[in-house]
Amino acid sequence: MSEITPSQTVGPFFAYGLTPVGRCNWDPNGHYSWKNSVESNLVTPDASGTRIRIVGTVFDADNAPINDCMIEIWQADAQGRYAAARDTRALPNSQFKGFGRSATDKAGLFVFDTIKPGAVPGPGGKDQAPHIVVAIFSRGMLRQVYTRLYFSDETVNAADPVLNLVPAERRGTLIAHKEAGDPPVYRFNVHMQGDNETVFFEV
Amino acid sequence: MALIYPTKSLESFPKHLTPNYKSTLKRSPTKPLMIIPHTLSELTGPVYGHNAVQEGDNDLTKQHAGEPLGERIIVHGQVLDEDKRPVKSALVELWQANACGRYVHNVDQHPAPLDPNFTGAGRTITDDNGYYKFITVKPGAYPWGNHHNAWRPNHIHFSVFGHSFVSRLVTQMYFPGDYLFPYDPIFNSVTDEKARNRMVASFDLENTVPDWALAFKFDIVLRGREATPLDNDDHH
């Protein structure tokens, strides 16, 4: 058995390597000369389902936006299937990878264009409410933090096995709130510390 | 292949709050992390084929009109799981400062020259043996604002994907014998000496190419062990 390689911070200077093309699509001039390997737009031509936009800001202890974060999301397709070998169910949206990456811009904002995920099986074969796994990296984070994004307009949240492990008064930190827009916008703000500290998971 | 991801393995990771690294003070969770069962959402992860990278993406010395200045080096190794099995088809990305210790990132404005022939970013996909290889130049040490006269040791940033989203790793590779190690709070955020040394590459004379480039070997071990019949997806 081997011991794992320790994590280290992504640091403040990752953007030219990991998110080189545009900062969040907000800064058309903010390009570096390298290519994106992972986009903040997950939508593929064959992806069925409801197109949505996710926006949010990551805040530090002083409620100041963090402008050098990298956010990664991992999600199922609209039918609740992951584009991964372990998920052996058929994939109707064969091009949909379910993985996205966004830097935060100067105002601390990140954005993803994607599809609303379907329900994924959970413990004991019981469906989980639609959710997206979120990993956050930045200067001052020696390892990524993991959280989950749930949707404010899903009544099945009340029965979600993971959400129900979270103390009721903190569940709200995991809910993205729907705003008007075409496509619909869900706002998901993350607080690293403070009264509204987001629930982070030890996975 | 069924893998489990024991959280015990994470004990060699740095603590979120590491006060000597000042940026952690306002950016680390203060409430205990919640342990949740691993569901399909945690046990799956993005898959990359060889079409994710282009020929030459792993050679940082050939991205511009001329060659970058600095010591040309080969950085190579295997991506493995905790049972030492190769992790194949894994996306490995790296980024680094140039030989003078300057990043092309627009926030790095310290007075060291940029190299017009060096961006400092690369990517590759591991082969069936979990093997990866990069050609680059050795990055320089550089100053940072953490404390008076703070300098980062020479290092290369790595971003690696494994079999699942919980094996996702961002780390830094250091060079053997660096005199800045004792002074660097980021390196020392890993408090166990053996674990720290797992972030240090070995000088690799055998794979050094005469008259051309020094080689350094850096194996990366990601979370994930073979499941035993007693394990299931709902373990904690």
Side-chain angles (χ1 to χ4, degrees), chain B residues 79-93:
Chain B
V79 179
L80 304 161
D81 70 17
E82 291 176 70
D83 289 324
K84 295 192 178 171
R85 285 177 317 213
V87 180
K88 63 178 184 183
S89 301
L91 177 66
V92 181
E93 298 165 279

Side-chain angles (χ1 to χ4, degrees), chain B residues 71-197:
Chain B
E71 289 176 81
R72 192 187 296 114
I73 59 172
I74 296 161
V75 176
H76 71 137
Q78 273 179 298
V79 179
L80 304 161
D81 70 17
E82 291 176 70
D83 289 324
K84 295 192 178 171
R85 285 177 317 213
V87 180
K88 63 178 184 183
S89 301
L91 177 66
V92 181
E93 298 165 279
L94 64 68
W95 70 103
Q96 61 169 90
N98 68 18
C100 305
R102 177 83 184 264
Y103 287 91
V104 301
H105 194 287
N106 56 21
V107 172
D108 182 7
Q109 294 295 327
H110 93 273
L114 286 167
D115 184 335
N117 291 311
F118 193 69
T119 297
R123 65 174 66 110
T124 190
I125 301 271
T126 57
D127 70 11
D128 285 351
N129 297 314
Y131 180 76
Y132 75 87
K133 176 178 173 180
F134 288 99
I135 298 158
T136 182
V137 294
K138 188 175 179 183
Y142 61 85
W144 63 308
N146 188 72
H147 55 272
H148 172 67
N149 203 16
W151 293 79
R152 294 296 329 278
N154 314 74
H155 64 275
I156 295 177
H157 293 268
F158 272 81
S159 158
V160 191
F161 290 85
H163 291 299
S164 91
F165 207 48
V166 301
S167 56
R168 177 85 178 89
L169 178 73
V170 170
T171 189
Q172 297 178 26
M173 181 201 101
Y174 298 91
F175 290 84
D178 197 311
Y179 34 79
L180 288 168
F181 284 161
Y183 312 105
D184 181 42
I186 293 180
F187 180 66
N188 291 295
S189 68
V190 177
T191 52
D192 178 72
E193 186 183 7
K194 280 185 180 161
R196 269 202 306 277
N197 288 334

Side-chain angles (χ1 to χ4, degrees), chain A residues 1-18 20 23 30 32-38 59-62 65-70 72-74 80 82-87 89 97 99 101 120-124 128 131 133-135 137-146 148 162 165-167 170 192-195 197-203, chain B residues 1-3 7 9-10 12-16 18 21 23-31 33-48 54 57 63-64 81-82 84 91 93 95-97 103-108 119-123 142 157 159 161 165-166 168-172 174 186-187 189-190 195 198-199 218-223 225 233-234:
Chain A
M1 180 179 159
S2 271
E3 300 285 338
I4 62 175
T5 305
S7 172
Q8 295 274 265
T9 178
V10 77
F13 301 137
F14 63 83
Y16 74 89
L18 298 182
R23 298 297 305 278
Y32 291 102
S33 68
W34 190 230
K35 310 158 284 217
N36 275 354
S37 52
V38 183
F59 294 98
D60 72 5
D62 299 332
I66 301 180
N67 65 6
D68 53 10
C69 261
M70 178 174 82
E72 290 183 348
I73 60 172
W74 173 238
Y82 283 103
R86 194 188 173 95
D87 193 339
R89 298 165 296 163
K97 274 195 172 302
F99 180 62
R101 183 187 276 172
V120 172
Q128 304 180 66
H131 65 273
V133 179
V134 181
F137 306 76
S138 88
R139 171 174 66 84
M141 296 184 198
L142 286 158
R143 54 205 274 196
Q144 67 266 37
V145 290
Y146 286 100
R148 280 183 172 206
V162 171
L165 293 172
V166 177
R170 298 190 67 203
M192 293 310 301
Q193 293 180 15
D195 293 343
E197 182 174 317
T198 298
V199 171
F200 299 110
F201 297 119
E202 179 78 277
V203 292
Chain B
M1 180 177 58
L3 286 175
T7 45
S9 309
L10 295 167
S12 58
F13 274 26
K15 289 194 165 59
H16 291 282
T18 300
Y21 173 25
S23 295
T24 66
L25 294 170
K26 292 179 175 178
R27 297 183 172 198
S28 49
T30 59
K31 298 185 191 323
L33 301 193
M34 287 206 51
I35 294 178
I36 57 168
H38 286 170
T39 75
L40 209 52
S41 304
E42 289 73 36
L43 295 172
T44 52
V47 179
Y48 288 89
Q54 290 168 340
D57 279 359
Q63 296 172 357
H64 298 273
D81 70 17
E82 291 176 70
K84 295 192 178 171
L91 177 66
E93 298 165 279
W95 70 103
Q96 61 169 90
Y103 287 91
V104 301
H105 194 287
N106 56 21
V107 172
D108 182 7
T119 297
R123 65 174 66 110
Y142 61 85
H157 293 268
S159 158
F161 290 85
F165 207 48
V166 301
R168 177 85 178 89
L169 178 73
V170 170
T171 189
Q172 297 178 26
Y174 298 91
I186 293 180
F187 180 66
S189 68
V190 177
R198 295 200 292 271
M199 303 186 294
F218 183 56
D219 290 341
I220 298 166
V221 181
L222 301 178
R223 288 176 72 196
R225 300 199 58 204
D233 286 0
D234 297 342

Side-chain angles (χ1 to χ4, degrees), chain A residues 134-199:
Chain A
V134 181
I136 300 161
F137 306 76
S138 88
R139 171 174 66 84
M141 296 184 198
L142 286 158
R143 54 205 274 196
Q144 67 266 37
V145 290
Y146 286 100
T147 186
R148 280 183 172 206
L149 178 160
Y150 289 86
F151 298 90
S152 60
D153 54 346
E154 290 286 348
T155 53
V156 288
N157 289 344
D160 183 75
V162 171
L163 215 42
N164 278 304
L165 293 172
V166 177
E169 69 277 9
R170 298 190 67 203
R171 277 176 215 161
T173 67
L174 304 181
I175 308 291
H177 290 276
K178 190 173 185 178
E179 298 177 354
D182 182 25
V185 173
Y186 290 87
R187 182 167 298 275
F188 185 69
N189 288 343
V190 175
H191 294 268
M192 293 310 301
Q193 293 180 15
D195 293 343
N196 292 322
E197 182 174 317
T198 298
V199 171

